[in-house]
Amino acid sequence: MVKVLVVGGGYAGFYTAWGLERRLKPGEAEVTVIDPRPYMTYQPFLPEVAAGSVEARFAAVSLRSHLHRTTIIAGSVTSIDHAARTAYVRTPDDELTVTYDVIVVTAGAVTRTLPIAGVAGHGIGLKHVEEAVAVRDRLLVAFDRASGLPAGPERQRLLTVTVVGGGFTGVEGFGELLSLATSLLDRYPGLGFEDLRFHLVEASGRILPEVSQQPGEWVVRSLQRRGGRVHLNTFLLSAEDGHVVLSDGDEFDSGLIVWTAGNAANPVVATHTDLPVNARGQVVVRPDLRIGTAEEPVADAWAAGDNAAVPDLSVNRPGALTVPNAQHAVRQGRLLARNIVATLRGRDPKPYVHHNLGVVATLGLGRGIFQSGPVVVKGFPAWVMHRGYHALAVPTWERKIRVLLGWLPPLVFGRDIVSLQSVQHPRDAFVAAQAAQSER
C-alpha cells in the first residue's frame, strides 16, 4: 500500500486524515498522523475556555476517537528528508525513523515571541487548551487572593490583566476575560469595578485587521466603555517581575500577562527540511496544494494550513496568499484529502479557491462583531452568530452536541468560578502530607 504521512494533527492535518479515511478504499493506502498532542485543538473556543464559557475538553477533538483507520504517533517530527522519503520523530520514550511514499506537511505555526525582558518568565500564550485553562485559573485565584487584601498596590497588581496583541485571539481573549472579571464582582463584595485594570496592547494603529476600519473602531469604543484600556501604536518594552513598561509611557504591575502577538513559522518546517520554503519559513505551495512551483513541482509532497504559503486565487493580485486562519485550514484540509485520492487514482488535483464567508468574533458574554463585505452586525446578534457558526464548524457531531449542551448551564446558572490551578502541581498535597507525617 501507498504510505501517506501527515505531519501535524491540527485543522488541516485532522481534516486531511479524516477525509482520506472516508475516501480511500480498503488496502488503497496506509495513513499515519504524527503530532505531540493526541487531539486537535479547536482554537476559536480558547477565549471562551479562558472565560469559563466552554468546557476545556470540548475544545479538543480526540484524534484516536475519530480517526479509526489511521495510525497515530504521539511525537514531534524533528526533521524531514524528502529526498529519502524519511521523517525523523522524537517521542517521549524513543527516537523513530518513519518512511513514507507521500507526505502531507500540516505542522501549523507556533506562537511568535520577541526578546522582551520578563515575557518569558511571566507571559502565557493562548494557543493551546492548557494555556487557556491556566489563564482562567490564574484570574480566579487572583480574585480569591485580592478579596483578602486591603486596597493597595498588591491588590491592584492581582487585578491587573495585560493582553499583548490586537488580532482575533487577543481581542476575543481580552473581551472574554473582561466579561468574566466584571461578572465575578457580584461574588466578591469587597471588590469593586474600580479595582479592575485591563490593558490591551497593540503595536499597530488598529485592532482586528480582518475587519474594516469603522467596525474596528467600534470594538475599541465598546471595550473602553466596559472599562478596558486599549493602547494602540504601542509596544511592550519590558515585563520584568511582572512590571509592565509600555512605549506610550504607561507603567504598571500586572498579575496576568497574556501574549497573543501573532504566529511564527514552525521551526521544523522552516529550517529542518529539504522542501522549498519562502522567506517567512512557509512551505512553497502550488494552487492545488502540491509543494513546489508551477515550474518545479515536488513529487509526492503536499502542504496546507498555517505552515503553507497557499496562493489566494480569490483575489486578483499576483503573489497574494491565503490568510493563515482556521477557515482556510479546514477547507484546505478537505480539498487536500480529495486531491491526494484523485492523484492516487490517476486524476488531476483541483486548485484551492475559497471566497471569504466573513469574520465573526466574540467580545464577551452577549457581545460580538460580525462582518461580511459591507454587512456589519454588532452586539448580541453578532454573539449569537458567533456561537451558531462555531457550533456548526467544530468537527464531528459528538463535539457539536457536547458544546451546545455545555453552553446551557452558564446561561442559566452563570459561569462556574471554581479554580483548579492546583492541578498544575498535583503532587504538592501528597508531598506536604508525607512531610508532615515524617516529622511526627
Side-chain angles (χ1 to χ4, degrees):
M1 289 190 292
V2 174
K3 293 189 289 186
V4 180
L5 175 63
V6 181
V7 179
Y11 293 116
F14 174 81
Y15 275 94
T16 298
W18 205 23
L20 287 174
E21 282 200 356
R22 293 177 171 185
R23 290 173 172 79
L24 289 170
K25 299 174 183 177
E28 190 173 9
E30 176 185 289
V31 182
T32 300
V33 173
I34 301 176
D35 196 281
R37 289 178 170 81
Y39 55 81
M40 184 207 83
T41 301
Y42 191 74
Q43 293 183 4
F45 280 156
L46 295 186
E48 292 190 84
V49 170
S53 299
V54 171
E55 165 61 36
R57 285 184 173 84
F58 297 170
V61 180
S62 170
L63 299 180
R64 296 184 187 277
S65 295
H66 301 288
L67 301 179
H68 304 294
R69 294 190 291 118
T70 298
T71 300
I72 310 294
I73 298 178
S76 300
V77 173
T78 57
S79 65
I80 299 170
D81 183 356
H82 186 63
R85 301 298 194 273
T86 302
Y88 299 92
V89 184
R90 180 184 298 117
T91 71
D93 304 304
D94 202 358
E95 302 279 342
L96 305 178
T97 299
V98 180
T99 59
Y100 60 83
D101 298 306
V102 177
I103 192 168
V104 179
V105 183
T106 53
V110 298
T111 300
R112 180 171 67 96
T113 59
L114 298 173
I116 299 172
V119 169
H122 296 276
I124 183 170
L126 196 57
K127 193 174 182 64
H128 302 290
V129 174
E130 301 90 340
E131 293 174 322
V133 172
V135 166
R136 175 177 180 269
D137 286 342
R138 288 188 187 187
L139 185 59
L140 294 175
V141 168
F143 266 79
D144 284 333
R145 292 178 58 190
S147 65
L149 295 173
E154 179 59 14
R155 188 165 87 173
Q156 189 65 80
R157 182 189 70 82
L158 288 168
L159 298 180
T160 299
V161 176
T162 305
V163 177
V164 183
F168 257 83
T169 301
V171 172
E172 288 190 316
F174 185 80
E176 286 288 347
L177 290 174
L178 182 57
S179 177
L180 171 61
T182 52
S183 70
L184 287 174
L185 293 175
D186 292 337
R187 315 287 181 93
Y188 295 88
L191 302 177
F193 183 76
E194 66 280 358
D195 292 312
L196 302 180
R197 298 287 188 277
F198 273 68
H199 299 266
L200 177 62
V201 182
E202 169 54 39
S204 69
R206 54 175 299 190
I207 61 174
L208 294 179
E210 292 86 351
V211 304
S212 56
Q213 186 73 28
Q214 289 186 340
E217 292 174 350
W218 176 85
V219 172
V220 171
R221 294 193 299 271
S222 173
L223 294 173
Q224 289 173 334
R225 284 194 299 268
R226 294 163 55 192
R229 181 170 180 187
V230 181
H231 304 259
L232 299 178
N233 296 307
T234 303
F235 296 90
L236 175 64
L237 300 180
S238 174
E240 289 189 278
D241 298 322
H243 182 72
V244 173
V245 180
L246 302 180
S247 62
D248 63 2
D250 210 352
E251 294 187 35
F252 48 87
D253 291 327
S254 183
L256 178 59
I257 301 173
V258 183
W259 182 271
T260 64
N263 295 324
N266 189 300
V268 173
V269 175
T271 60
H272 294 80
T273 174
D274 56 352
L275 297 169
V277 297
N278 63 12
R280 297 178 60 185
Q282 296 174 303
V283 182
V284 177
V285 176
R286 296 153 51 105
D288 58 11
L289 304 180
R290 286 185 288 186
I291 294 176
T293 64
E295 298 77 20
E296 295 184 55
V298 178
D300 305 320
W302 307 76
D306 290 359
N307 68 192
V310 180
D312 191 347
L313 303 184
S314 67
V315 298
N316 188 22
R317 189 173 72 251
L321 302 176
T322 58
V323 178
N325 61 22
Q327 193 176 127
H328 283 297
V330 169
R331 287 158 179 77
Q332 288 168 11
R334 288 171 174 164
L335 176 65
L336 227 168
R338 295 196 297 269
N339 280 352
I340 291 173
V341 172
T343 56
L344 291 176
R345 296 173 182 172
R347 302 196 304 268
D348 292 330
K350 295 182 179 179
Y352 176 73
V353 184
H354 171 64
H355 298 285
N356 198 338
L357 300 177
V359 292
V360 62
T362 174
L363 303 175
L365 197 62
R367 302 175 177 90
I369 181 78
F370 167 82
Q371 181 174 17
S372 179
V375 179
V376 177
V377 181
K378 305 172 184 175
F380 183 76
W383 177 78
V384 174
M385 294 171 70
H386 173 272
R387 289 212 158 176
Y389 171 78
H390 286 298
L392 292 173
V394 67
T396 79
W397 280 104
E398 173 260 344
R399 270 297 177 265
K400 297 179 197 297
I401 294 171
R402 287 183 185 273
V403 168
L404 288 170
L405 294 178
W407 271 329
L408 294 178
L411 289 175
V412 178
F413 304 109
R415 294 182 176 92
D416 191 325
I417 63 170
V418 175
S419 169
L420 296 177
Q421 189 176 39
S422 59
V423 77
Q424 298 171 40
H425 306 282
R427 295 187 67 251
D428 285 358
F430 177 78
V431 171
Q434 187 181 42
Q437 292 173 48
S438 65
E439 293 174 359
R440 293 179 182 177

